Amino acid sequence: MIKLFKTALFSLFFAGICLVSAHAADNDISSIDFNRINKQLEKIDNALKNDSLTSDKIDEYISYLSEQDADLGSKRKNLNKDIQYIQKQLDALGEPQEGAAEDKVITKQRTALSSELTATDRVLKEADLLTVKIEDLNAQILNARSKKVYGDLITKQSALINPMVFFNSLKLYAIFFWDITKSPIDWYQSVPKENRSYTILSIVSMALILIAALAVAIILRKYILNHWGYKEDIELPHFSRKVVAAVAVAIARGLIPDAFVGACMIWMVSTKIFGDSLLGHLLIITGFSSFLAIIEATISRVTFAPHYQQWRLINIPNDKALLFTRVIFLFVICNAIATIQVIVAQKTNYPVDTVHFLTMVSCAIKAFFLIWIIKIAVDTYREMNTVSVEQTSENDDETDSLDSGFKIMVASNLLLATTFGLSLVGYPELSSFILRNLILSAIICGVFELFRRAFIDILKRLILASPWMKTIRVTKRNISKIEFWLTSLINPVLVLTLIFILLNLWGLPGDFMLQMGKKLLFGFKIGGVQISLIAIAFGILVFFISLTIVKLIKKNLANNVFNNMDIDDGIKHSLVSGISFVGFIISTLLAIIAVGVDLTNLAFIAGALSVGIGFGLQDVIKNLVSGIIILFERPFKVGDWVIMNGTEGKIKQINIRSTEMESFNRTSVIVPNATLLSSSIVNLTHGDNISRQSVSVGVAYGSDVEKVRKILLECALNHKYVMKNPAPYVLFKDFSDSSLNFELRCYTNDIWKGWVVPSDLRFTINKRFIEEGIEIPFPQIVVHSGEKVAQENQFYALKKGEQ
């Protein structure tokens, strides 16, 4: 055991020495061979000027420049660190004192550090110069490669729109077509007589083998379709199940026929039975085109599933699905025939005019069918989003504008017609390139969309089926959240991959895009600022993780710690809000540090921009400062009953920038904090929740006022929410026209329950007055006739007479 421990310790020590040595070698400025790199760069520059680059050489030079650029980038980063470290040492020594003797040791160290700083800075500048040269050579190589890719496409040929050229090309095509027609006879006549029997026997043997294999294929196809194909008893299959069935049907209907075509091609190539004849080229090219045509037709069939609506990958009506399948199948057949003729003419060295004529025909077929397919797609879109006749007639004013489907039709027709026109005016290769890549781009986008939906569906089902999901209550909202986050994480990756494939399809080199992507991910400079997408993504991740931790801490303090402490609710909320504010600042600083921003530079930039930010964001800053003052000064707190600017309600939430108040009709009022500090606010619950309630009541003239006073006090004292201290009291308010007015005043220790106190007291007072025979009068007017006064209505006069 001790021996094993010693061996492990020695291994770790040796590994540490190796790592330190490797790091030291990487930081060694003498490891950069500037002369060798400069010579190689000059060699590449001369090759570019002489225009003597082949495709292999371009790839070799791009690989070399990419390696050197990455190596120089690493070395430059280390050199910058060394320069910063040396400069810190020089700053620590300080400036030499003029007129005073300095210690020789200090002077010697300053001189050595200055020399080292100068040498390191010189190496860094040479590395920067090499980096600039490499970037310039990369741009030149990109231009050279573009010329090679697009050079033939923009070379003008004979314009087929010219009648003489057209009829001459048509004549040449007739010769070509006749040669293809009689190619089997020509091939058979070219076969030596002694080998004809063997050749025919080989063909017959291959045909018999294919017939036998066909029987096996039919059984295999039936087995696949029965086990993994479309099931009529499944009414609503999920999307991933649809994809599985589509793949099974594609294998049964597409790959098995392709296997036969591939076997025939392998047999022809291996036996060389047709040799280098026109028939041999025709059969090989026909086999390859048939291979692709079967795949294309199968993909369209399983995508639209014309006879199985529930298994359709694209939700469109049955008639449109059948029409799409038939049109695409017809397009695949016509395009395959045209493509076969173009490639055969190129391979067998027929005149250029023949090839251009066949290319023009192929472009015409592509353009025609694309227009047809786009029209079907627009009609399908209109049918699925149609508006009823009644709504259309009611909105006649809105139907004058052109719909989006019509605009797409016009734009696509113009584009395709213009592209086909290029083949007529002398640019058949450019026209074919554009049309072919448009078709491939559409196919790739469709396949990516299907893959994206299937992949997200499978991941969602795997997550929902995992054991830890069984402990969580799965709701529709949780499923929506899972779909949202899966889409947010997967879509960017798939979109970037799709963009990379499409750009590579249209001629942009893949290695160049990888190099640019590497720079975007790992860092590039704009001016003196280093920008890295990975660092930015890492900073965002750190920010959200920090915020999550702050939220957990805040929740734990609010639910556990503060609840066990004798603290007012308003203080609790203020502390929680303060923790949120401090946590947000800390999370922001951690994110900035994770991105790699120098805090010294950040402070300098913040100081330089403080004036502009102060003017532009002065209201925001004022509200933030006001929010902090409110949290610490606490003129009101959460749960207070306040009246501000005529609006009465309860403080619901105090944020850093604004305060939310909920009025008693259940509406939210958002008020900036600066407005709250600069305006008067009535806080009904600032010190406590005690509130005074009052009830006004009038009794008829002649009532016993002491008895009224006693009844009012009894009603107040018997109410459960009325405080005994301070005690309720009654005021004789006034002698009004029709009644003696009293006011009962009392106090409640809970203002939120005080709402019901006046109402309850009115019910009780009304009941007691009825029991005691005390009248609550209504307004009345006494009318006197002439000088006679109705003595019976003069209450106080009668009282005086009685006395």
Side-chain angles (χ1 to χ4, degrees), residues 11-27:
S11 301
L12 290 174
F13 178 73
F14 181 75
I17 293 175
C18 293
L19 288 174
V20 171
S21 302
H23 182 69
D26 187 60
N27 289 337

Side-chain angles (χ1 to χ4, degrees), residues 138 188 234 282 381 409 496 533 540 653 777:
N138 276 324
Y188 186 75
I234 301 177
L282 179 63
Y381 173 79
M409 281 291 299
L496 290 176
L533 293 183
I540 294 173
Q653 190 172 5

Side-chain angles (χ1 to χ4, degrees), residues 726-737:
Y729 57 93
V730 177
L731 297 178
F732 195 153
K733 296 285 289 185
D734 198 5
F735 295 96
S736 67
D737 294 337

